[in-house]
């Protein structure tokens, strides 16, 4: 018999197979997702019950990898309030209740010895094949876990603010949400700020940083908000400290200016530039009376309405009683008692801890040029004399220019010292935050051994410096005296003990790294700052301008006082430390 070959178009077979697959998909969909609105669909019988969690059976669950100790916030919430979200269970033909959703809630309730939990129960379909039941349960469990919509932090902040507005205490809200009191306060502050609230879910700022932004926005200080939003996260705390110092100085200056304003003086918020011979404001030292006498403060006060005053600050310019604020003569203090509360001062002297150095506000007086004639004063001969001979007039003009330039140079130098000291203090506060974070680790950074060895080799008495032990204890969070530090060392692991050694060396250097280190050439402090620049690369820490000046790569005269600190040269510092 001759064989016959049948020519069949493959596409016909493909279409047939596709039709079969589509039919199977439709059938599966109908079985898995019946239409609840269909008259033919019988809704399952359900009950809302309260049950002892010990009566529930943990059935097969798609979630198998978990550790209750990693979910302490949920544990604390259920321990405090019980189970709020009902557990879903199926009643089996034998009457047992098998948990299909809420496994973690059930286990936590059992661990917390909660007597009753809410359970949403429906009867298992006895006609449903076991494999189909397991498929449906697994689909439900995965969808429930995957499709949860987490609350955004902005909404959480709003909720916290609402509860506080309704009269709930910070303690109650913190306990109820298993959060620290500081976090609750920050969240309420953030909720009141449109800028901070808009940034909270981006993750670019911590809650502490957002709270700072929110505080300034609430105060209407848009300049502070803009400055904080411009700087990188690694410089945020430094800039925040610097702004706080600026605002504190402004408040102190305004408080000191109240007395001057009460006398009738106009108040200047910035020291004027008087370097030009055509300046509209003349400093008092350029003026004299009709009989060529210097202009006294009494004479100025007598015509206060004509004068303007700027209050300059002399840092630590006066010694005062810490209790009363009264001025104290330094010769009346027994300075050997400083830091020693148990020591008795010498006869007729007072304890050094009873006094403190504070800033002194110095009034600088300026007379508008158009008020000179009416004031009865005149310019000192240092100014140009039109009636003098040409040689004499030129000499006077040059002298006047030089004097004006020297005044301006002195003004700029005062400002530079004042501003860089403020930056130095802000940088020190930020450094302390970083050091505390660095020394909380269980193991020292890889570069620590070489740094410590070299530091001790170069300065054998480094750890004996006056403030070093206390600085180390502060950095490690150890209260009390040396005995407490020794006790913590005795209970530490070998790696942690090396962290303590590092803390003592860092504390020694930090105790001598003052706010004005930018103007000195301390080789030890330079090594210290370069070490911090190196280890800080992975910990969001870079040296700012005053620290770079102290470390050596830049000259403090080159720091621009009118822009925010730039950590851009930190790479140069790190390279120099390598």
């Amino acid at each position: 018999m001759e064989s016959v070959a049948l020519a069949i178009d493959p596409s016909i077979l493909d279409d047939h197979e596709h039709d079969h697959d589509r039919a199977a998909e439709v059938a599966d969909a109908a079985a898995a997702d019946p239409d609840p609105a269909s008259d033919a669909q019988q809704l399952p019988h359900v009950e809302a019950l309260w049950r002892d969690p010990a009566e529930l059976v943990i059935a097969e669950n798609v979630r198998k990898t978990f550790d209750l100790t990693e979910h302490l916030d949920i544990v604390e919430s259920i321990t405090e309030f019980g189970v709020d979200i009902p557990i879903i269970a199926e009643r089996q033909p034998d009457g047992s209740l098998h948990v299909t959703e809420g496994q973690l809630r059930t286990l936590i309730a059992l661990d917390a010895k909660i007597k009753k939990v809410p359970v949403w129960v429906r009867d298992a379909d006895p006609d449903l094949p076991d494999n189909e039941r397991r498929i449906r349960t697994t689909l439900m469990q995965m969808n429930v876990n995957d499709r949860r919509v987490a609350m955004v932090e902005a909404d959480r902040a709003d909720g916290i603010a609402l509860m506080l507005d309704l009269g709930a205490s910070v303690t109650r809200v913190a306990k109820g949400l298993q959060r620290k009191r500081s976090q609750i306060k920050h969240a309420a502050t953030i909720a009141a700020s449109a800028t901070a609230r808009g940034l909270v879910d981006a993750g670019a700022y911590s809650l502490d940083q957002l709270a700072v932004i929110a505080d300034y926005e609430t105060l209407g200080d848009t300049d502070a908000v803009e400055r904080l939003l411009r700087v990188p996260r690694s410089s945020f705390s430094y800039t925040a400290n610097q702004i706080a110092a600026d605002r504190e100085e402004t408040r102190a200056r305004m408080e000191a200016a109240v007395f001057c304003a009460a006398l009738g003086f106009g108040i200047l918020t910035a020291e004027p530039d008087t370097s030009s011979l055509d300046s509209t404001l003349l400093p008092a030292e350029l003026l004299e009376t009709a009989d060529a006498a210097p202009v006294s403060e009494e004479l100025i006060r007598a015509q206060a309405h004509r004068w303007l005053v700027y209050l300059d600050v002399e840092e630590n310019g006066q010694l005062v009683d810490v209790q009363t604020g009264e001025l104290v003569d330094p010769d009346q203090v027994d300075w050997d008692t400083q830091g020693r509360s148990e020591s008795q001062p010498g006869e007729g002297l007072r304890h050094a801890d009873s006094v403190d150095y504070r800033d002194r506000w110095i009034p600088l007086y300026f007379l508008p040029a158009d008020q000179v004639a009416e004031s009865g004063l005149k310019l000192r001969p240092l100014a140009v004399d039109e009636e003098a001979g040409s040689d004499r007039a030129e000499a006077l003009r040059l002298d006047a220019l030089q004097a004006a330039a020297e005044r301006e140079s002195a003004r700029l130098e005062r400002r530079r010292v004042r501003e860089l000291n403020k930056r130095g203090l802000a940088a020190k506060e930020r450094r302390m935050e970083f050091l505390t974070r660095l020394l909380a680790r269980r193991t020292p950074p890889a570069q620590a051994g070489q740094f410590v060895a070299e530091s001790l080799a170069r300065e054998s008495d480094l750890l004996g410096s006056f403030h070093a032990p206390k600085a180390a204890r502060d950095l490690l969070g150890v209260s009390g005296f040396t005995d407490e530090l020794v006790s913590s060392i005795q209970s530490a692991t070998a790696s942690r003990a090396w962290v303590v050694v590092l803390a003592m060396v860092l504390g020694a250097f930090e105790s001598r790294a003052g706010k004005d280190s930018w103007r000195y050439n301390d080789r030890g402090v330079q090594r210290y700052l370069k070490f911090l620049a190196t280890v800080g690369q992975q910990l969001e820490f870079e040296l700012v301008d005053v620290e770079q000046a102290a470390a050596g790569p830049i000259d403090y005269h080159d720091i621009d006082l009118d822009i925010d600190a730039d950590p851009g040269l930190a790479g140069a510092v790190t390279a120099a430390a390598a």
Side-chain angles (χ1 to χ4, degrees), residues 280-351:
T280 58
L281 295 178
L282 303 173
E285 58 266 27
L286 288 187
L287 301 169
E288 63 182 16
T289 63
D291 56 358
V295 178
S296 66
E297 189 160 3
E298 289 75 17
L299 191 153
I300 292 174
R301 289 191 180 188
Q303 299 189 49
H305 64 285
R306 300 188 189 279
W307 290 81
L308 302 176
V309 64
Y310 172 74
L311 288 165
D312 194 16
V313 61
E314 179 187 359
E315 295 186 54
N316 299 324
Q318 56 189 8
L319 187 66
V320 300
D321 185 295
V322 294
Q323 297 294 332
T324 65
E326 295 178 353
L327 292 175
V328 176
D329 184 346
D331 292 335
Q332 297 177 350
V333 179
D334 184 348
W335 294 107
D336 291 335
T337 62
Q338 188 169 20
R340 301 173 181 175
S341 57
E342 71 284 355
S343 298
Q344 295 298 318
E347 185 178 355
L349 300 178
R350 59 189 301 163
H351 199 288

Side-chain angles (χ1 to χ4, degrees), residues 67 354 486:
D67 182 350
S354 69
V486 171

Side-chain angles (χ1 to χ4, degrees), residues 13 16 50 69 93 122 125 144 175 219 266 271 316 321 355 368 371 379 412 437 440 445 552:
L13 294 177
H16 177 73
W50 287 95
T69 61
R122 66 180 181 182
D125 185 350
V144 166
K175 185 177 181 181
L219 293 172
E271 185 177 359
N316 299 324
D321 185 295
V355 297
Q371 293 288 320
L379 290 172
L412 293 177
R437 185 157 46 100

Side-chain angles (χ1 to χ4, degrees), residues 354-384:
S354 69
V355 297
D356 188 22
Y357 277 102
R358 295 182 183 172
D359 294 341
R360 174 176 173 240
W361 294 98
I362 304 171
L364 304 178
Y365 299 104
F366 299 88
L367 184 66
D370 59 8
Q371 293 288 320
V372 172
E374 295 181 11
S375 69
L377 303 175
K378 63 179 182 177
L379 290 172
R380 293 173 56 194
L382 190 61
V384 176

